């Protein structure tokens, strides 16, 4: 397993547990030494990133280098998460790359993600090994 600089953790933000399971397997198949964390909506992801709520007193949660974010989720959806994330201070944001991973092929969603939120990658579900490898090596090209 190889270690990539800046990629200790990938955070999956998706309410679909089957997708999270399959995406975890795909990420493991990349051969990259990375911890995979899962949150089921945007609010849980914000709590994870800010070490608050259910993650307040739990040490050892690594900061993700990459967040794979779904759009349509109950509670706090992907757009609401991005609005809240963008209002965080820089220390809480860290050096995180956010990629949309969604079944929405609505051109308005694609444009909103890329132009209004500056999301560098918009990935259509289902995730595949080539898709995740492309995103990972685009943003984390160097080995430790």
């Amino acid at each position: 397993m190889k270690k990539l600089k800046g990629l200790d953790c990938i955070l999956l933000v998706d309410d679909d547990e089957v997708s999270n399971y399959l995406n975890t397997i795909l990420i493991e198949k990349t051969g990259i030494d990375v911890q995979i964390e899962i949150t089921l909506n945007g609010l849980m992801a914000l709590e994870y990133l800010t070490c608050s709520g259910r993650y307040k007193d739990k040490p050892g949660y690594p900061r993700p280098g990459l967040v794979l974010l779904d759009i349509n989720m109950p509670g706090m959806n992907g757009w609401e998460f991005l609005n809240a994330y963008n209002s965080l201070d820089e220390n809480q944001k860290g050096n995180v790359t956010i990629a949309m991973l969604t079944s929405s092929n609505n051109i308005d969603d694609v444009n909103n993600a890329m132009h209004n939120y500056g999301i560098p990658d918009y990935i259509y579900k289902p995730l595949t090994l080539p898709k995740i490898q492309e995103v990972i090596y685009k943003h984390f090209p160097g080995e430790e």
Side-chain angles (χ1 to χ4, degrees):
M1 307 255 323
K2 63 181 152 181
K3 191 80 176 146
L4 297 181
K5 188 173 182 150
L7 188 61
D8 294 321
C9 175
I10 294 175
L11 179 62
L12 302 175
V13 185
D14 194 330
D15 63 313
D16 183 346
E17 294 186 37
V18 172
S19 288
N20 288 329
Y21 174 76
L22 295 173
N23 293 341
T24 298
I25 291 170
L26 281 171
I27 292 166
E28 289 171 350
K29 284 185 176 185
T30 65
I32 296 167
D33 182 11
V34 63
Q35 184 169 329
I36 302 162
E37 295 291 335
I38 297 169
T39 58
L40 300 176
N41 60 48
L43 180 59
M44 288 177 68
L46 279 175
E47 289 176 352
Y48 182 93
L49 292 172
T50 60
C51 299
S52 62
R54 69 196 87 220
Y55 300 98
K56 182 178 180 190
D57 296 318
K58 296 181 180 178
Y61 284 93
R63 170 143 318 268
L66 177 63
V67 173
L68 297 177
L69 177 66
D70 190 21
I71 293 175
N72 298 309
M73 297 175 285
M76 179 184 280
N77 68 32
W79 303 125
E80 293 165 330
F81 167 82
L82 289 171
N83 287 330
Y85 175 82
N86 286 336
S87 69
L88 295 176
D89 68 45
E90 290 305 314
N91 286 339
Q92 290 176 314
K93 284 183 187 177
N95 191 19
V96 177
T97 298
I98 299 175
M100 297 304 278
L101 176 59
T102 182
S103 57
S104 173
N105 61 1
N106 182 326
I107 193 67
D108 292 334
D109 286 343
V110 175
N111 287 333
N112 192 30
M114 299 183 113
H115 300 296
N116 296 335
Y117 289 99
I119 301 298
D121 301 285
Y122 194 96
I123 308 161
Y124 297 109
K125 288 181 180 179
L127 188 62
T128 63
L129 190 57
K131 287 179 188 177
I132 190 60
Q133 287 172 323
E134 179 181 342
V135 170
I136 288 172
Y137 288 111
K138 174 181 174 184
H139 299 286
F140 306 94
E143 293 186 40
E144 285 190 344

